[in-house]
Amino acid sequence: MMSTTEIRFSGFGGQGIIRCALITGKALSLYDDKFATMTQSFGPEARGSACSAQLVVSAQRILYPYITAPAVLMALSQGAYDKYHPEVIPGGTLIVEEDLVKLGDHDPRLQVWRVPATRVAESIGNRLFTNLVALGFFTAVTGVVTAEAMKRALPGLVPGRFLKVNISAFEKGYEHGVQARGAAAP
Amino acid sequence: MNVMTADVPSEDRFAAMLRTERMPHIWCPGCGIGSVVTCFIDAVRRSGVDQDKLAVVSGIGCSGRVAGYVNFDSIHATHGRAIPVATGLKLANPELTVVVISGDGDLISIGGNHFVHAARRNMDLVVICINNFTYGMTGGQVTPTTPGSATASTTPYGNYEYPLTLPFLADACGASYVARWTSLHARNITQSVEEALTRRGFSFIEVITPCTTLYLRRNRLGDGVDALQYYQNNSEILHGIDTRETAIELQGKIAVGKFVDREKPTYLDAVTRCNAKVIGDDYQLYGKTEPEKKSAEAKKTEDQVTAGPVSGGHS
Amino acid sequence: MNIVHADPRGVDSGAHFMDGDHAIAEGALAAGCRFFAGYPITPSTETAERFAERAPEVGAMFIQMEDEIASIAALIGAAWGGQKAMTVTSGPGFSLMMENIGLAAMTETPIVLANVQRGGPSTGLPTLTAQQDMFQARFGSHGDYNIIALCPDSPQECFDLTVEAFNLAETYRTPVFIMTDETVGHMHEKVVIPPADHIKVVERNLFTGPKEDFRPYRFDSQGGHPMARAGAGYRFHITGLTHDERGYPVMTAAQNQVVVTHLIEKINGNAECIIRLEEDQVEGAEVLVISYGITSRIAVRAIAEARKKDIKVGALRLITVWPFCERRIRELAGQVRAMVVAEINYGQMVREVERCAAGRCRVISVNHCGGAVHDPAVITQAIEEACR
Ligand SMILES: Cc1ncc(C[n+]2csc(CCOP(=O)(O)OP(=O)(O)O)c2C)c(N)n1
Ligand code: SF4
Ligand SMILES: [Mg+2]
């Protein structure tokens, strides 16, 4: 992996996209001994359908705060996938929500992962946890951040009374990711 | 009532509350502002409020100069901003009694929004509006209180706007005390101010005063004595009347008296109550944290132990 | 000057993943600020929200005023009531605050104001970044006066410089601005809040002598003359009118000269103590890139590109924007071939650079108006052009 990794989390408003980036950024910079800079699109577009948060991750102090060549794209909506897949670097990682995104003609060099995050979230009680399932999956397949750090980052970023169920959503997603990776292994 | 200074001759006590080194003041002969200052100081004296714990804030205008002549902590703010400056002062140091003295233009025109919201919050302030129906300082322009058809330098053919009725405004905004007098009613002003100084919440006192040089002269209403004559003949004490009945027409009747006097929690009461709900009973604005209190407590017991039981204190 | 350790009550020590706006609120609390008055405006509102949430825990006062005029007016009252006080805003609110910024400057009232800049003029671009208020910060209120303005480039610096802003405000008895921008305000990064006993805080210099000796002012071009707290028995008077050392109005040209000279010189004369710059490879540089706030973090990429092409580029970051680093620019103008000034506005601080360079080197402005940070390539191009 390069010394700097750029990640984009995307979907539509209300899916907890910003939260994904916050959790990951906090996990990396407080518990994984990395540097992380999180920016998000404010502005009118942040209220509408597309929603995106960007994370630059590095072993060194980050100066340039924006992403220009993301290595990882997590897209939880069709619109997000359509809009952002062209910018992912060759060999980069694409994670999509299986039931929400119909894959199109993205760069064949991308490593594509499909996660049934909504269904898994529903199986543990509420589709509100879709983002945490996806985040667990993301953690497992990218290896950018440790699962330990992610779980430690949750308090304060999810409502206290939902902490447990968020952790289990994360773990479910993580298991799916580990399995998917195992299945994909040569 | 003021026990501490009871043996000091009253003129001296009066002088002590003025910045005598700043005399003579800038006000014109016959102007009503000076009378209000006299009543205010008399009221402070009677109220027993500590001279060092009272602060006066004014805006800009002839009336706005009051802050510069009274011997208290005093701020001469910008035009219209006396109330928010006073709000900051009061909230920063709740032990203060904060009085705003300013003009009709200052408090009601440019500062109207602050007036509305300070009253709405029941901010613990005494607001004295010296209403001379004009912008004195800038040469006699129309204000939001100028009676219909009165002339002003910017309404040379007569005022065609609807004036505001200040007691009604203050009442509607939630003030807990509302009174109005004219500068003729010295004893009543003093009494109202004293009452306001010793109660809590947003207190509003309007004093109708003559601007001899501009308003009276331009409207051919004579001099200061004529103004007092007009107040004498046309004001009627109507305590407790509906504030909607207190509008003033050009040289018309002036309803005076105490119109509103109601108890309700002040802004600080409300903040404290809310924060105590969040933090618990020992919440204290600008107060100490639990660990600090504990360490202070611990230190105290330590001192007691080392000092042994001694009678009497050393406060 | 009385320097103490921060009151632990306000210091949320530890590592946080936090945005710049929140870091400003934490910096204020750490610096001992216990009074916040403000009015919501994007992209600064998060600071107010954070302060409102923390206020009960630390025994601080938070009040949402009816507008920005009232907010800054309340700060002036609060400061003379004995509290350290702050507000935050953005362009439209900054404009509304101008008159009482003048009152604070004139009455030498220590207050701190953060402007999280967005695109203007007018309502402009409420949610998008800009650096268009830099001159308004310095010259926005009428009359001659002076202020101090700091420009953080990260959430960590939002914290650090807010503490510093309070310290400077107390040291020189002046309004101090934190001129940040939407990007830094909304960017999340790790913010380390040190333990309270690692944070230096300048306490209010309060007069303690006999009542008859108290004067709210001394026009000695130094600043930091002791104040009184309302209620302490000193019966101060302060006014926005031109005044003498007692605070009493004096309506003469001569006194205006005395007061204004003091207001300006107490900051200019101490500029060397106040100004903080960050320099990188300035010695031997042919081209110097000058920037501040978020733009300096964009410029690093451009500078790296240019260095790959063997261009000797130095970087100068203005941490203190006002007072302007005149001496350093004059010095460097004699050493470099060109200065490239990058900023998100139509060309503001570049005027200061031009003034100080005074023709001794080329000065190139790389600017665009509000809404977005630079494309680093544009800055690289300017650097290349500067060597031609
Ligand atoms: C922002 C601003 N606008 C205008 C003025 C000019 N100005 C000074 S005093 C004044 C009117 C004061 O009227 P009022 O409050 O009724 O006081 P009076 O002089 O009648 O006692 C005005 C408009 C100012 N000082 N500041
Ligand atoms: S101009 Fe009017 S209000 Fe001002 S001092 Fe003279 S009489 Fe009083
Ligand atoms: Mg008037």
Side-chain angles (χ1 to χ4, degrees):
Chain A
M1 203 197 300
M2 290 180 302
S3 69
T4 293
T5 308
E6 300 178 0
I7 304 166
R8 185 188 293 281
F9 298 92
S10 60
F12 47 76
Q15 277 184 315
I17 298 299
I18 308 290
R19 196 86 350 193
C20 286
L22 279 174
I23 294 165
T24 314
K26 180 180 172 188
L28 283 159
S29 53
L30 302 196
Y31 311 116
D32 265 355
D33 208 20
K34 293 268 177 51
F35 290 85
T37 298
M38 196 276 253
T39 55
Q40 53 186 303
S41 28
F42 274 79
E45 72 274 21
R47 299 191 196 280
S49 49
C51 174
S52 160
Q54 302 81 240
L55 201 61
V56 180
V57 184
S58 176
Q60 287 102 41
R61 189 177 156 220
I62 296 158
L63 289 168
Y64 191 77
Y66 290 103
I67 67 169
T68 42
V72 182
L73 169 65
M74 183 166 103
L76 300 189
S77 75
Q78 189 66 44
Y81 164 79
D82 293 343
K83 184 168 175 190
Y84 295 119
H85 78 73
E87 67 180 13
V88 183
I89 56 172
T93 302
L94 176 62
I95 299 166
V96 297
E97 207 301 329
E98 194 169 293
D99 299 334
L100 298 177
V101 177
K102 219 173 116 240
L103 292 171
D105 54 348
H106 54 260
D107 187 331
R109 287 170 295 182
L110 299 187
Q111 201 180 3
V112 182
W113 303 95
R114 300 168 74 230
V115 52
T118 313
R119 266 181 287 141
V120 174
E122 277 166 353
S123 78
I124 59 167
N126 199 324
R127 60 166 60 194
L128 275 178
F129 307 120
T130 301
N131 63 337
L132 261 295
V133 176
L135 212 48
F137 188 89
F138 157 90
T139 306
V141 299
T142 63
V144 169
V145 59
T146 64
E148 253 328 286
M150 290 293 270
K151 281 188 267 183
R152 282 178 73 188
L154 291 179
L157 287 175
V158 299
R161 61 207 157 99
F162 293 128
L163 181 59
K164 270 216 183 99
V165 55
N166 272 293
I167 291 176
S168 70
F170 176 86
E171 283 170 344
K172 278 267 164 20
Y174 188 79
E175 280 161 31
H176 268 264
V178 171
Q179 272 167 27
R181 218 166 60 177
Chain B
M1 211 176 159
N2 194 341
V3 189
M4 287 176 62
T5 51
D7 50 353
V8 181
S10 71
E11 311 86 76
D12 291 2
R13 269 182 279 145
F14 187 85
M17 293 198 188
L18 287 175
R19 297 184 189 269
T20 40
E21 69 274 29
R22 289 216 54 218
M23 298 298 142
H25 58 66
I26 62 158
W27 299 307
C28 310
C31 173
I33 299 173
S35 328
V36 180
V37 175
T38 309
C39 297
F40 164 67
I41 284 182
D42 205 21
V44 176
R45 205 168 52 76
R46 288 155 169 270
S47 72
V49 173
D50 182 348
Q51 187 174 356
D52 287 337
K53 300 291 177 200
L54 189 144
V56 177
V57 184
S58 296
I60 301 292
C62 296
S63 315
R65 290 303 186 96
V66 170
Y69 294 121
V70 292
N71 196 13
F72 304 95
D73 287 321
S74 55
I75 303 182
H76 183 215
T78 42
H79 194 26
R81 315 307 165 200
I83 287 179
V85 169
T87 297
L89 194 57
K90 175 67 190 177
L91 297 182
N93 192 349
E95 66 164 9
L96 295 173
T97 300
V98 181
V99 182
V100 170
I101 307 180
S102 218
D104 49 324
D106 188 82
L107 289 169
I108 305 302
S109 186
I110 190 167
N113 196 36
H114 309 309
F115 181 88
V116 166
H117 291 281
R120 173 180 67 79
R121 296 182 180 112
N122 199 25
M123 193 59 70
D124 223 333
L125 299 174
V126 177
V127 176
I128 302 172
C129 178
I130 300 177
N131 183 3
N132 54 15
F133 303 131
T134 196
Y135 286 162
M137 183 64 103
T138 43
Q141 295 78 27
V142 71
T143 78
T145 60
T146 309
S149 81
T151 58
S153 72
T154 46
T155 51
Y157 312 110
N159 179 21
Y160 36 76
E161 293 192 11
Y162 303 105
L164 269 172
T165 303
L166 304 191
F168 177 40
L169 176 68
D171 183 9
C173 294
S176 53
Y177 181 96
V178 180
R180 175 201 274 158
W181 301 103
T182 76
S183 55
L184 176 75
H185 297 87
R187 289 205 356 234
N188 306 80
I189 300 172
T190 305
Q191 199 191 340
S192 272
V193 175
E194 186 187 341
E195 229 169 86
L197 288 171
T198 47
R199 72 192 304 293
R200 293 149 45 73
F202 188 89
S203 300
F204 175 65
I205 299 160
E206 177 186 20
V207 184
I208 309 294
T209 58
C211 166
T212 43
T213 309
L214 300 161
Y215 180 78
L216 294 190
R217 188 178 296 171
R218 181 177 290 274
N219 285 287
R220 301 180 197 285
L221 298 174
D223 58 16
V225 176
D226 296 304
L228 296 180
Q229 196 62 58
Y230 155 59
Y231 299 157
Q232 173 81 50
N233 297 340
N234 289 275
S235 52
E236 191 180 352
I237 298 181
L238 296 164
H239 292 305
I241 59 157
D242 188 327
T243 54
R244 282 172 296 189
E245 312 292 317
T246 60
I248 302 172
E249 284 171 12
L250 181 59
Q251 293 302 94
K253 289 266 177 234
I254 305 175
V256 294
K258 176 165 78 176
F259 305 133
V260 176
D261 190 351
R262 56 187 160 217
E263 282 297 326
K264 61 181 192 177
T266 67
Y267 179 83
L268 268 165
D269 292 339
V271 172
T272 307
R273 188 186 298 170
C274 172
N275 288 351
K277 240 189 333 198
V278 180
I279 298 299
D281 283 346
D282 47 24
Y283 163 79
Q284 214 187 324
L285 179 63
Y286 309 123
K288 298 214 181 305
T289 50
E290 215 26 61
E292 283 173 313
K293 268 191 257 170
K294 282 209 182 99
S295 75
E297 236 5 83
K299 194 162 178 309
K300 218 162 75 190
T301 23
E302 209 173 277
D303 290 350
Q304 270 165 13
V305 171
T306 43
V310 280
S311 56
H314 38 132
S315 56
Chain C
M1 205 177 11
N2 193 10
I3 302 175
V4 297
H5 290 147
D7 175 353
R9 188 184 332 179
V11 186
D12 192 7
S13 302
H16 306 260
F17 194 62
M18 190 183 268
D19 71 8
D21 282 359
H22 284 170
I24 289 171
E26 290 301 333
L29 291 168
C33 171
R34 294 291 178 270
F35 188 96
F36 185 107
Y39 189 80
I41 186 167
T42 305
S44 73
T45 310
E46 288 86 344
T47 307
E49 289 168 347
R50 179 85 170 194
F51 203 101
E53 196 182 328
R54 296 263 278 127
E57 300 166 17
V58 297
M61 172 56 68
F62 170 90
I63 182 168
Q64 180 174 313
M65 295 298 286
E66 51 275 18
D67 56 30
E68 287 86 348
I69 302 174
S71 303
I72 187 142
L75 258 52
I76 295 170
W80 286 92
Q83 299 299 331
K84 291 187 177 179
M86 98 164 307
T87 188
V88 297
T89 190
S90 191
F94 200 44
S95 293
L96 284 185
M97 290 182 182
M98 281 302 146
E99 191 196 14
N100 286 296
I101 285 170
L103 180 63
M106 186 61 146
T107 53
E108 303 191 51
T109 304
I111 55 167
V112 172
L113 186 165
N115 178 353
V116 187
Q117 294 173 88
R118 64 192 228 181
S122 191
T123 314
L125 297 167
T127 58
L128 301 178
T129 201
Q131 299 179 311
Q132 292 172 308
D133 307 343
M134 304 311 295
F135 267 47
Q136 187 182 22
R138 172 65 186 82
F139 299 107
S141 195
H142 57 282
D144 285 320
Y145 63 102
N146 212 343
I147 49 94
I148 297 173
L150 311 175
C151 224
D153 74 345
S154 64
Q156 179 69 54
E157 248 188 21
C158 283
F159 176 86
D160 298 341
L161 293 187
T162 301
V163 175
E164 174 142 339
F166 276 96
N167 289 347
L168 289 166
E170 297 298 334
T171 305
Y172 299 103
R173 256 183 75 179
T174 179
V176 178
F177 301 152
I178 297 152
M179 296 297 291
T180 186
D181 53 73
E182 185 276 335
T183 311
V184 173
H186 280 162
M187 169 199 288
H188 280 76
E189 281 183 341
K190 181 172 169 176
V191 173
V192 179
I193 300 181
D197 58 3
H198 284 54
I199 301 173
K200 282 197 183 128
V201 165
V202 176
E203 290 221 302
R204 171 95 17 112
N205 186 5
L206 288 174
F207 187 77
T208 51
K211 291 184 185 183
E212 56 280 12
D213 291 352
F214 176 69
R215 300 281 179 278
Y217 303 105
R218 188 166 70 218
F219 305 120
D220 58 358
S221 299
Q222 280 310 312
H225 183 66
M227 290 173 72
R229 171 183 199 256
Y234 289 104
R235 300 179 194 160
F236 63 76
H237 179 64
I238 60 162
T239 174
L241 289 166
T242 301
H243 46 263
D244 62 17
E245 296 193 337
R246 295 171 301 175
Y248 294 170
V250 180
M251 299 295 96
T252 65
Q255 191 60 17
N256 195 254
Q257 179 77 26
V258 169
V259 174
V260 172
T261 303
H262 166 74
L263 293 182
I264 292 187
E265 289 309 322
K266 71 175 180 181
I267 289 170
N268 283 359
N270 288 300
E272 294 300 316
C273 302
I274 298 169
I275 292 173
R276 291 222 278 132
L277 304 171
E278 189 177 79
E279 299 187 358
D280 175 43
Q281 300 186 33
V282 167
E283 282 316 307
E286 279 181 77
V287 179
L288 183 69
V289 176
I290 300 173
S291 56
Y292 51 91
I294 187 59
T295 307
S296 47
R297 289 181 62 170
I298 306 303
V300 284
R301 185 163 277 196
I303 292 166
E305 280 307 308
R307 284 178 184 158
K308 277 187 204 155
K309 296 178 185 169
D310 280 336
I311 303 174
K312 287 191 186 136
V313 196
L316 177 72
R317 176 162 79 92
L318 311 176
I319 298 172
T320 310
V321 182
W322 301 112
F324 187 67
C325 49
E326 299 183 359
R327 188 188 56 78
R328 189 64 181 139
I329 297 294
R330 275 196 208 105
E331 223 166 64
L332 292 172
Q335 295 171 24
V336 301
R337 278 170 62 180
M339 292 179 172
V340 170
V341 185
E343 49 187 344
I344 310 171
N345 55 48
Y346 209 77
Q348 294 190 10
M349 296 312 292
V350 69
R351 291 166 177 247
E352 285 296 276
V353 175
E354 278 168 350
R355 179 174 68 80
C356 299
R360 280 180 301 151
C361 69
R362 276 176 73 199
V363 176
I364 298 167
S365 176
V366 195
N367 62 64
H368 62 254
C369 299
V373 298
H374 287 70
D375 174 353
V378 178
I379 306 177
T380 314
Q381 217 177 339
I383 297 171
E384 288 174 25
E385 189 197 307
C387 312
R388 262 182 235 130

